[in-house]
Amino acid sequence: MPATDSATASLPAKPLRYTASVEAPQADEAETAEALAETMLSISRTTYKDGGHALRSVHAKSHGLLVGRLEVLDGLPPVLAQGLFARPADYPVLLRLSTTPGDLLPDSVSTPRGMAVKVLGVTGARLPGSEEATTQDFVLANGPAFTAPDAKSFLGNLKLLAATTDKAEGLKKAVSATLRGAERVVEAFGGESPTLKSMGGHPETHILGERFFSQAPLRYGDYVAKLSVVPVSPELAALTGAPLDLNGAPDGLREAVVDFFQRHGGVWELRVQLCTDLDSMPVEDASVVWPEDRSPYVTVARIVVPVQNAWSAERAQAGDDRLSFSPWHGLAAHQPLGSVMRARRLSYERSAAYRAERNGCPIAEPQRGYRMPG
């Protein structure tokens, strides 16, 4: 599929070239990463104690486990033809749709949504720790920036979240309803509150209409970028902002995803926003939204998902228990950048190892011929 001339015309004139100096690690980052990993594990230990099954520390509940393909566009200009996207190609792809809590809450506790993308059969120089794999992961959420500027700030937020794990589900439902009302007031005046959304005030809308973002930056070959995945097929695009009543439907998001893919396929565009300067588009502060008037998101690939059974117990065992998603699974050309991304490496490794050990279920990176069951 060819790239469009209009997309190429949208490219910034002078994207910033990647050098190691775009990152500025802090002296105590190793201690912060260790504390963050331990706090995340405390969430998994709590849910394991309660349910006897090890879950992810965050994004524990899946709402869709999908199989499709990623089509890299033909004719990309050199500035976009980087890393995984260096040449036109088709790759198998796995998608996992989720919500943020580490415990399995009813969907009426409405929290931010995530999409994890795993591209199979990718070759090239690898990131440390993934040398034997042939996958490329992108871990995305439905907000353009992260909720904290750096790993240390995120650690403070996570400790508060960990303290509420498995506590007062009924209270969480009531608080979520109140926060959604507050968020509606903010949005009525043209604003938006990531804090209200993260605490349970996310609007009750269809998950398939969401636009997802890497939030934190990553290396894009010779450049630096953020990524976004945007629904573009008519049936998916029609769900953007579409209300979805989740009261009395504890798994309403999952049911909506299953219903959709029983009747329709879907297409998303994968888009890239190139960094132009570190003042307005910082690497170390993940809470800053990079201005799209300086550098718009430009399409480099499409994700095509056919009609299928989007969730089943068999798929959950495969996608939730036997797979892990991490921005550190991938090519050196897409190295995660910034404090939050660097800290994620240890947390994700520890989380996957804990789940594998407790569930007696080995976790391994799939090969190109992998088949999702169910």
Side-chain angles (χ1 to χ4, degrees), residues 174-313:
V175 170
S176 181
T178 300
L179 293 173
R180 288 197 302 273
E183 175 63 20
R184 284 195 293 271
V185 172
V186 173
E187 292 183 3
F189 286 91
E192 183 179 4
S193 172
T195 301
L196 289 175
K197 288 184 175 183
S198 68
M199 293 171 61
H202 193 285
E204 287 187 314
T205 53
H206 204 300
I207 191 171
L208 291 178
E210 300 286 356
R211 179 180 177 184
F212 295 95
F213 301 83
S214 67
Q215 298 190 317
L218 64 155
R219 184 175 173 181
Y220 192 75
D222 293 333
Y223 302 94
V224 175
K226 291 186 179 183
L227 302 183
S228 179
V229 171
V230 182
V232 294
S233 56
E235 296 84 1
L236 279 181
L239 298 177
T240 299
L244 185 66
D245 186 1
L246 298 172
N247 292 316
D251 298 320
L253 290 174
R254 182 183 299 160
E255 291 163 2
V257 173
V258 169
D259 177 68
F260 179 91
F261 280 103
Q262 284 176 341
R263 297 178 290 112
H264 307 287
V267 179
W268 289 264
E269 287 183 352
L270 193 153
R271 300 176 182 174
V272 173
Q273 184 187 30
L274 295 172
C275 179
T276 60
D277 69 273
L278 294 178
D279 292 326
S280 65
M281 301 180 179
V283 163
E284 291 296 341
D285 187 344
S287 67
V288 174
V289 178
W290 288 7
E292 293 189 46
D293 59 348
R294 286 176 174 259
S295 180
Y297 281 90
V298 181
T299 302
V300 295
R302 289 198 166 201
I303 297 171
V304 180
V305 174
V307 170
Q308 61 190 271
N309 182 13
W311 197 95
S312 68

Side-chain angles (χ1 to χ4, degrees), residues 56-144:
R56 286 169 169 82
S57 304
V58 291
H59 290 275
K61 188 173 185 179
S62 65
H63 305 288
L65 296 161
L66 303 168
V67 179
R69 68 182 191 274
L70 181 137
E71 303 172 346
V72 179
L73 301 190
D74 192 5
L76 292 174
V79 70
L80 295 177
Q82 301 283 326
L84 174 65
F85 311 98
R87 61 191 60 84
D90 277 16
Y91 298 96
V93 69
L94 308 176
L95 306 179
R96 183 179 186 267
L97 296 163
S98 61
T99 38
T100 54
D103 42 358
L104 301 179
L105 298 171
D107 293 345
S108 57
V109 181
S110 189
T111 57
R113 291 87 184 268
M115 173 188 279
V117 179
K118 188 179 291 290
V119 187
L120 311 185
V122 178
T123 59
R126 304 288 303 176
L127 288 165
S130 73
E131 290 89 349
E132 303 305 315
T134 56
T135 53
Q136 173 67 55
D137 289 2
F138 299 116
V139 178
L140 315 168
N142 67 324

